[in-house]
Amino acid sequence: MLPVAVSDPPRPAPTPPVRRRTEALAALKDSASVGLGLLPLGLALGVVITHAGLPRWCAPLFAAVVYAGSFEFLLVGLTVAAAPLATVALTGFMVNARHVFYALSFPLHRVQGRLGKAYSTFALTDEAYAMTTGGQARSWSGARILSLQAILQVYWVGGATVGALLGSLIPDRVTGLDFAMTALFAVLALDAVAERRGDLPTPVLALLSALAARAVLPGQMLPVAFALFTVALLVRHLATRKRPSHA
């Protein structure tokens, strides 16, 4: 038997500097709407950190190094309580376990270089995933994806830094600020539905799951709704896969 040569998959050509600038400007434009939601959330994180008695420099440090959104708010309380490292690790895993599924469809293969791939994996937030896996992003280059992720983190770090600097001037509770995250995800969901107009069953399944959870366990509505929605999507996927093709 003759040996079979196995060749590596073709690598994308390096992006020229001029095109990188163009892609970065396009990513800046793409990030504008999401940035309007990330800035107040980062500002809230900075306020929470200073009001918890932590040094102001913890705000940009958390935002730049941890960069895990909702987990950073939990991390403030865990830090103040001097929680064991195992508790912090378990909490972080439980909060961010959903990111494991993001890897299945996130276009990491378009990002060039090991350093770029490492940062892109680190900066894979809910917002970055929602924006880079939509229909409008199918033609985006790795440079544009990477630029978008970096700009989103700048929004987050900038908001947290400003929040920490102005923490003493901002009251503990600002009406409407806690709704910023809900509003941000609502906008992302509406954009996703608008791009997939033909996929009506998905939002219908989500609505039915929420209504069923609200009727059965209103005190645990969110986790129950997510569980029901996940089961419904799996059942639909299995049923669609087994359906014979007539093409």
Side-chain angles (χ1 to χ4, degrees):
M1 178 181 295
L2 296 175
V4 177
V6 178
S7 59
D8 296 331
R11 297 181 179 179
T15 305
V18 175
R19 186 181 172 187
R20 279 203 295 269
R21 286 194 293 272
T22 303
E23 299 286 23
L25 290 175
L28 180 61
K29 183 179 178 181
D30 297 330
S31 68
S33 58
V34 175
L36 292 177
L38 284 177
L39 278 174
L41 287 175
L43 190 145
L45 174 64
V47 172
V48 169
I49 287 177
T50 53
H51 285 196
L54 295 175
R56 290 177 177 174
W57 53 262
C58 286
L61 181 66
F62 278 28
V65 178
V66 181
Y67 193 40
S70 56
F71 174 65
E72 292 177 59
F73 288 90
L74 296 176
L75 187 59
V76 174
L78 294 172
T79 303
V80 173
L85 187 58
T87 301
V88 176
L90 180 61
T91 304
F93 174 77
M94 295 296 292
V95 173
N96 295 308
R98 66 188 184 282
H99 287 204
V100 173
F101 300 99
Y102 289 175
L104 299 176
S105 52
F106 180 71
L108 184 63
H109 60 280
R110 297 185 211 159
V111 179
Q112 300 173 11
R114 293 182 180 179
L115 188 60
K117 289 181 183 295
Y119 176 75
S120 186
T121 303
F122 163 75
L124 181 51
T125 60
D126 298 313
E127 295 81 7
Y129 176 81
M131 296 186 68
T132 56
T133 55
Q136 85 288 348
R138 289 175 184 166
S139 61
W140 287 8
S141 66
R144 187 166 175 174
I145 294 172
L146 206 56
S147 298
L148 175 73
Q149 291 182 279
I151 293 170
L152 293 182
Q153 189 173 13
V154 168
Y155 286 132
W156 183 250
V157 175
T161 303
V162 173
L165 294 175
L166 302 179
S168 59
L169 304 177
I170 299 176
D172 290 337
R173 185 170 183 81
V174 178
T175 302
L177 190 60
D178 53 350
F179 188 71
M181 181 174 287
T182 304
L184 174 60
F185 283 105
V187 170
L188 292 174
L190 289 174
D191 287 343
V193 172
E195 290 178 3
R196 299 172 64 89
R197 295 180 183 275
D199 187 16
L200 182 61
T202 298
V204 171
L205 286 176
L207 177 61
L208 292 177
S209 299
L211 293 176
R214 179 73 175 84
V216 177
L217 288 173
Q220 301 293 329
M221 177 181 171
L222 190 60
V224 173
F226 272 119
L228 291 175
F229 186 49
T230 302
V231 171
L233 291 178
L234 289 174
V235 170
R236 188 184 70 170
H237 172 71
L238 294 175
T240 305
R241 189 179 62 176
K242 292 179 179 179
R243 186 177 300 168
S245 174
H246 300 288

